[in-house]
Amino acid sequence: MSKELLRMEGITKIYGNGFMANKDVTFSVSEGEIHALIGENGAGKTTLMKILFGEEDCQNGKIYINGEEAHIANPLDAIAKGVGMVHQHFMQVPNLSVAENIMLGIEPGRGMVFDKKKAIQLTTEAAEKFQLHVDPNTLIRDLSVGYKQKVELLKALIRGVKVLILDEPTAVLTPQETAELFVQLKVLRDQGYGIIFISHKLEEVMELCDRCTVLRHGRVTGHGDIKDLDPVKLSRLMVERDVVMEIEKEKSAPADIILHVEKLNYLNDLGKHMIKDLSFGIRAGEVVGIAGVEGNGQTDLSEIITGLRRRTNGEITLNGTETEGKTIREIRDLGLAHISEDRMKYGIAPDLSIRDNIASIYLDNKQFTKGPLLNVRELNKFVDHCIEEFEIACTGGDEAIHLLSGGNIQKVIIAREFSSGANLIVANQPTRGIDVGTTDLIRRLLVKYTREKKIGALLISSDLNEILEVSDRLLVMKDGQIVAQFNDVKSVTAEQLGEYMLGVKSMTPEEMGDLF
């Protein structure tokens, strides 16, 4: 039997509003083990890990590290006791080097003098020891996402932690980068580390992990060895029903062009050319997917189309109207709906109710107004219909939206945008960090609305399974340009996509064909 590094026993967490996030949860990680923690959004995974990492307290329960009871006051205390966390969104200073980022807070030197040479030496030694090779002198802003993740791992390991929490670590990686990460995690496992792997990608859990614990509604619904489980069993434990992992869909029948992008260019505030002479179109009745390693212009593209940022030059027409100089509201009125990559920043007003968040784009809609006044009765009926149709788990429309799980917050956004009457939906990472049940719902809605309502959809996603399942036509972006197009998406593998995403391969214009 391997030594138990960590045990959380009988953890119960109840928030001030009476919401029970965790109920009598027992969870353990052994030396030399990769342990998956899975469950839908709102299942209690994040809360449990926040308790372990000292970001939350709990009403009941105990934590044992190396067999001794531990009281963890804050994240620094957690690290001192041997628990580290690699967050989904990296906590790094872009303009500092790898070594400087890794040494933040534990800087070598005397007094106020930073010993850069020593920092580089310590970083190099740690990189060699843990087989996480990265140049200590490179600036963070110049690294790929995969290398940034190595830096996050080194930051934790160099501080002496023995238990590593990884929150959705493959969300922005290519298949090749994911495969490399898995090799590195297995090296750490073989060196005796305990790794908690949080993921919504069940195929990754099956490939990488040794054991798993499943949470649902704050309670443990299952645990055991991965070898005794399969994705169907895990899905059933997570969502109380089987989730069909493949989407059956009719062949698309593209009609008129809704969105036309011609020779689009964008230089960011640092003068970097993020989008270069990019041209493509989207037709009614099709989902056009865009794959690419994060930082290759996809987010810039979506924010330019939706009016969140201004292009440098080029043309964008939506339903025949040029969008240059128009406000976000005016672009929406042309027929655009938007599911933002950052739902908390751009998707909702956290302090308002579910009702107010859904109603926010309908305040001047004739259906819900009586002269200068709101028709509150009609608006309430509409919001209640949205809650029911889009399966939003809440106490009612008056509930504050920030009290919902991430998955249900996303359902509110989906309900608002899909009900808006728009004929173009720009969906940027619509299922990132979302549970498998909500993910399945969103993907099916994208397909359904393109078929039944003849809308066009632009899907930007780092989940290659999602891109391959949902897209009717698939584009690959690298360095702000389209480097590949696939019209027969079913014939493409994630590995092939990865080669184009990483720049190993690219298509000629003749091979790509008509991008409109």
Side-chain angles (χ1 to χ4, degrees):
M1 292 289 290
S2 299
K3 175 184 175 184
E4 190 173 80
L5 293 176
L6 166 74
R7 170 170 287 269
M8 303 180 76
E9 197 168 274
I11 302 294
T12 296
K13 170 68 178 181
I14 304 173
Y15 285 99
N17 61 356
F19 175 69
M20 184 174 291
N22 293 130
K23 173 63 175 176
D24 197 27
V25 174
T26 295
F27 172 80
S28 66
V29 179
S30 298
E31 191 176 71
E33 175 189 36
I34 302 177
H35 193 125
L37 182 62
I38 59 177
E40 292 195 279
N41 269 73
K45 307 184 305 296
T46 299
T47 300
L48 188 67
M49 291 300 99
K50 283 184 175 181
I51 292 168
L52 175 58
F53 198 54
E55 295 178 333
E56 296 270 7
D57 57 6
C58 60
Q59 282 78 15
N60 292 300
K62 296 181 178 180
I63 298 174
Y64 298 90
I65 297 176
N66 292 318
E68 297 184 4
E69 187 174 350
H71 300 278
I72 301 175
N74 52 56
L76 287 177
D77 191 26
I79 292 168
K81 288 181 167 68
V83 178
M85 187 167 184
V86 176
H87 294 82
Q88 185 175 347
H89 303 290
F90 303 146
M91 298 182 177
Q92 298 169 348
V93 183
N95 291 329
L96 295 183
S97 70
V98 168
E100 288 166 337
N101 269 270
I102 288 173
M103 290 295 159
L104 279 173
I106 55 170
E107 296 89 346
R110 292 185 178 182
M112 299 292 290
V113 180
F114 175 61
D115 190 339
K116 186 174 181 179
K117 185 176 180 181
K118 184 67 173 178
I120 292 171
Q121 177 193 335
L122 292 172
T123 300
T124 302
E125 290 173 353
E128 186 66 33
K129 176 182 178 182
F130 300 114
Q131 297 184 32
L132 294 164
H133 302 293
V134 60
D135 184 353
N137 293 297
T138 302
L139 296 181
I140 291 293
R141 71 186 185 201
D142 295 329
L143 292 179
S144 68
V145 175
Y147 277 98
K148 287 178 182 177
Q149 192 166 70
K150 290 182 182 182
V151 173
E152 287 295 288
L153 287 167
L154 283 170
K155 279 169 61 178
L157 294 167
I158 207 166
R159 285 160 172 78
V161 305
K162 289 296 290 184
V163 176
L164 268 174
I165 306 165
L166 303 182
D167 185 11
E168 298 285 349
T170 66
V172 294
L173 301 184
T174 65
Q176 289 84 349
E177 289 171 326
T178 296
E180 184 178 356
L181 174 66
F182 284 7
V183 169
Q184 291 157 347
L185 293 181
K186 289 173 183 177
V187 168
L188 292 174
R189 177 191 62 190
D190 295 343
Q191 292 178 355
Y193 288 84
I195 298 170
I196 302 170
F197 185 81
I198 302 173
S199 178
H200 291 99
K201 300 178 182 179
L202 299 186
E203 69 278 7
E204 293 183 353
V205 170
M206 299 302 300
E207 177 185 347
L208 177 68
C209 300
D210 304 299
R211 284 198 300 147
C212 77
T213 296
V214 184
L215 295 182
R216 186 173 71 228
H217 303 317
R219 294 168 170 83
V220 175
T221 58
H223 59 83
D225 294 339
I226 290 295
K227 65 179 179 354
D228 299 326
L229 298 165
D230 60 50
V232 174
K233 290 179 182 177
L234 289 176
S235 293
R236 195 175 299 144
L237 289 169
M238 290 167 62
V239 299
E240 300 179 287
R241 63 182 173 87
D242 291 345
V243 175
V244 178
M245 307 307 284
E246 295 184 1
I247 296 176
E248 294 182 4
K249 59 184 181 183
E250 299 175 2
K251 185 176 176 60
S252 66
D256 296 335
I257 289 181
I258 296 172
L259 179 74
H260 188 284
V261 178
E262 187 75 34
K263 294 185 178 179
L264 181 67
N265 285 276
Y266 173 66
L267 278 71
N268 67 13
D269 293 340
L270 297 174
K272 185 175 181 181
H273 212 156
M274 299 303 298
I275 297 178
K276 305 172 185 176
D277 287 330
L278 189 144
S279 300
F280 73 100
I282 297 177
R283 294 179 176 271
E286 70 171 348
V287 179
V288 176
I290 291 186
V293 176
E294 193 169 282
N296 279 274
Q298 309 95 302
T299 293
D300 306 282
L301 175 63
S302 72
E303 294 189 352
I304 289 169
I305 291 171
T306 56
L308 287 172
R309 65 177 69 180
R310 297 296 182 188
R311 73 193 85 161
T312 301
N313 54 54
E315 299 176 6
I316 300 175
T317 56
L318 176 58
N319 289 311
T321 300
E322 168 63 57
T323 64
E324 175 68 16
K326 295 193 178 297
T327 65
I328 294 172
R329 180 73 215 200
E330 289 170 337
I331 294 173
R332 290 185 70 95
D333 288 343
L334 291 174
L336 178 91
H338 182 208
I339 303 166
S340 170
E341 176 183 24
D342 190 337
R343 57 179 170 266
M344 300 306 292
K345 183 176 181 180
Y346 294 120
I348 64 166
D351 295 330
L352 298 184
S353 67
I354 295 168
R355 186 182 319 283
D356 289 341
N357 272 276
I358 291 177
S360 61
I361 66 170
Y362 299 103
L363 298 179
D364 59 355
N365 188 303
K366 292 181 180 179
Q367 180 184 350
F368 305 118
T369 54
K370 290 181 177 179
L373 302 176
L374 275 177
N375 186 339
V376 177
R377 178 180 294 179
E378 284 300 312
L379 189 59
N380 287 347
K381 283 171 59 178
F382 173 70
V383 170
D384 290 342
H385 171 74
C386 285
I387 289 171
E388 180 179 356
E389 181 179 353
F390 292 90
E391 304 173 13
I392 301 167
C394 62
T395 59
D398 292 328
E399 185 173 357
I401 195 169
H402 71 262
L403 297 178
L404 302 183
S405 69
N408 281 299
I409 288 174
Q410 192 75 336
K411 285 182 183 179
V412 172
I413 296 168
I414 293 295
R416 183 185 66 216
E417 300 300 317
F418 274 71
S419 301
S420 68
N423 70 344
L424 175 69
I425 291 181
V426 176
N428 190 357
Q429 310 294 348
T431 65
R432 174 178 284 175
I434 299 299
D435 59 84
V436 66
T438 305
T439 292
D440 185 61
L441 172 67
I442 292 172
R443 292 174 181 176
R444 290 179 186 282
L445 284 171
L446 278 169
V447 172
K448 177 182 177 181
Y449 273 62
T450 53
R451 270 44 174 187
E452 295 181 3
K453 301 194 176 185
K454 291 299 178 183
I455 70 165
L458 175 64
L459 172 62
I460 299 171
S461 178
S462 56
D463 185 330
L464 298 192
N465 289 325
E466 176 168 270
I467 282 282
L468 292 169
E469 281 294 321
V470 178
S471 302
D472 300 306
R473 183 159 59 96
L474 183 52
L475 309 177
V476 181
M477 281 187 71
K478 177 76 170 68
D479 295 329
Q481 298 175 301
I482 294 172
V483 296
Q485 175 176 234
F486 299 96
N487 292 303
D488 182 10
V489 178
K490 288 185 177 180
S491 67
V492 185
T493 67
E495 288 70 25
Q496 287 174 322
L497 269 188
E499 291 179 333
Y500 287 98
M501 290 165 65
L502 290 170
V504 176
K505 291 182 178 180
S506 64
M507 291 183 181
T508 65
E510 292 73 24
E511 289 173 319
M512 282 191 279
D514 187 3
L515 294 172
F516 297 91

